[in-house]
Amino acid sequence: MTKEDVISVLSKIKYPGYAKSLVDFKIVKSIDVDDEEIKIVLNLATKNEETKKRIFDDIKTAFKGSGLRLMLSTVQDQPQSTTVEQKHMVQKAKKRVAVLSAKGGVGKSTFTVSLAIALKRKGYTVGIFDADIHGPNVPRMLGTLGERASINENKKIMPVLKDGIYSMSLGYIVDQETPVIWKGAMVSKAIVEMLESTEWPDMDYMIVDLPPGTGDAALTIKQNMDVDGAVIVTTPNALAVADAFRTVDFFRQVGIEISGFVENMAYFVCDNCHNKLYPFGNVEPEALEEALGISSLGVIPFVPEIEEATDDGTLSTLENKEYFDLISDVANKI
């Protein structure tokens, strides 16, 4: 039996409660096959023991007639990796929260800015660190597009202040219209230099807007800042959830606590019938909790008015009580 044969068998085993297979959900971490045994390591983020048992039993049944010894384990059963010594930057913030997503286009930056606005309206002092070097969208959403970072007498960069929210972004240093074509090492260097050089005020919350995925930027933030928790933003479609598996695994392995996930753009309210419509399907948060193994922090709708405000840079002055009440509820759980 070859590795390809094993993948073929696993592709026929459905994840409990879903039409997609274990392979489709990308929870198969590694496969090793020799003349005597098959070793399969799974990335099972779910904390539901019944689901785990069902998956293990289904795999054992599928390979029962192979004639080889089957060795099953999970990434979660293995020792976590360690990271390099941290520099513990941005100590002036009482709490540092990372916002991330497994893929682009799920509304991560919109949620980041909305969260900052909700916290500011609660009376907290808030800052946003835009770590998305290749796509720094925070300035546009805050209405600070075109602003340039200033240098104080201590030769430190001063964060931009708009509507009571402090922010720092590469967009304040380089031309927003110029593409940043940097490799991983340069991205990490830019993040570290901005962290070291920015003179933040005393803050209650620092929110870090990470780029999609699990690349150098996320690891650099972990190595250079005490992150108190991470929020994963996802849409409820199967592909986004499957990608989120890897993100959960990555942050657990580098030692960052995951506060939970936000199901974004889950539905919209029809202008004509006023019913909730679910473009990705009406997926219950409990189902995603089981699949991802982390708690749901909230379900956020797609609101055209919000999207228009992010494009115009007027989100911080927008009065949409229903939307910001939902964001505020998420903030209470972080």
Side-chain angles (χ1 to χ4, degrees):
M1 179 172 284
T2 66
K3 181 178 179 179
E4 288 71 25
D5 293 331
V6 174
I7 293 174
S8 177
V9 173
L10 294 175
S11 68
K12 295 180 176 64
I13 301 174
K14 306 298 183 185
Y15 190 96
Y18 289 84
K20 298 284 186 178
S21 74
L22 303 182
V23 174
D24 292 330
F25 269 106
K26 301 179 182 179
I27 66 171
V28 181
K29 188 73 173 179
S30 65
I31 298 171
D32 290 305
V33 183
D34 59 29
D35 294 336
E36 296 183 353
E37 66 181 15
I38 303 169
K39 292 182 180 180
I40 301 174
V41 179
L42 303 174
N43 177 17
L44 282 180
T46 179
K47 295 179 182 179
N48 188 311
E49 293 300 325
E50 185 177 337
T51 298
K52 288 182 181 179
K53 184 179 183 302
R54 170 77 178 278
I55 291 173
F56 271 55
D57 288 346
D58 288 348
I59 293 175
K60 290 174 182 177
T61 300
F63 288 96
K64 192 172 183 180
S66 66
L68 300 176
R69 183 170 62 252
L70 179 64
M71 303 292 291
L72 280 176
S73 63
T74 70
V75 170
Q76 288 72 23
D77 294 333
Q78 299 173 3
Q80 292 186 340
S81 63
T82 57
T83 59
V84 300
E85 182 180 356
Q86 300 175 22
K87 297 181 181 178
H88 307 298
M89 297 178 184
V90 199
Q91 285 298 308
K92 288 189 175 182
K94 294 177 183 177
K95 193 166 188 178
R96 292 157 293 273
V97 178
V99 178
L100 56 129
S101 64
K103 59 186 299 181
V106 298
K108 169 186 59 64
S109 295
T110 298
F111 172 78
T112 296
V113 175
S114 298
L115 179 62
I117 294 168
L119 288 168
K120 174 60 184 174
R121 292 179 180 179
K122 286 174 175 287
Y124 294 111
T125 304
V126 187
I128 300 176
F129 182 74
D130 187 358
D132 195 343
I133 299 299
H134 291 108
N137 292 318
V138 169
R140 179 180 295 278
M141 295 182 178
L142 285 175
T144 54
L145 193 64
E147 295 274 355
R148 284 293 176 262
S150 60
I151 308 295
N152 65 12
E153 63 275 9
N154 298 321
K155 296 185 179 180
K156 290 283 191 177
I157 301 174
M158 299 299 295
V160 173
L161 177 63
K162 176 72 180 294
D163 296 326
I165 297 173
Y166 296 91
S167 63
M168 175 47 58
S169 170
L170 188 68
Y172 300 142
I173 300 172
V174 301
D175 187 349
Q176 280 267 306
E177 304 303 322
T178 302
V180 177
I181 308 174
W182 289 349
K183 292 184 178 180
M186 294 183 68
V187 169
S188 297
K189 183 179 179 182
I191 290 173
V192 171
E193 288 188 355
M194 282 197 294
L195 286 173
E196 289 179 336
S197 303
T198 303
E199 189 164 297
W200 295 95
D202 291 333
M203 296 176 292
D204 296 301
Y205 285 89
M206 161 65 73
I207 305 173
V208 182
D209 186 37
L210 287 170
T214 56
D216 295 295
L219 187 57
T220 300
I221 288 294
K222 164 59 183 172
Q223 292 171 345
N224 291 278
M225 183 190 295
D226 286 322
V227 179
D228 297 296
V231 177
I232 296 178
V233 180
T234 185
T235 49
N237 57 305
L239 182 59
V241 173
D243 288 338
F245 273 112
R246 295 193 304 274
T247 306
V248 170
D249 176 40
F250 171 83
F251 276 84
R252 281 177 171 161
Q253 289 198 53
V254 300
I256 293 179
E257 179 184 349
I258 301 175
S259 303
F261 70 91
V262 171
E263 189 180 338
N264 199 33
M265 299 188 289
Y267 64 90
F268 66 94
V269 178
C270 177
D271 291 336
N272 295 321
C273 66
H274 305 294
N275 291 324
K276 291 182 179 179
L277 303 179
Y278 297 84
F280 301 110
N282 188 1
V283 181
E284 293 297 328
E286 292 78 13
L288 293 179
E289 284 182 329
E290 181 178 321
L292 295 175
I294 53 177
S295 299
S296 170
L297 300 175
V299 178
I300 310 299
F302 172 80
V303 182
E305 183 184 27
I306 299 299
E307 301 307 314
E308 291 171 6
T310 58
D311 290 341
D312 298 338
T314 58
L315 187 58
S316 60
T317 60
L318 185 67
E319 296 294 336
N320 187 312
K321 186 176 185 304
E322 184 177 355
Y323 173 80
F324 280 107
D325 279 352
L326 292 173
I327 299 294
S328 181
D329 288 343
V330 173
N332 292 335
K333 299 174 185 177
I334 297 176

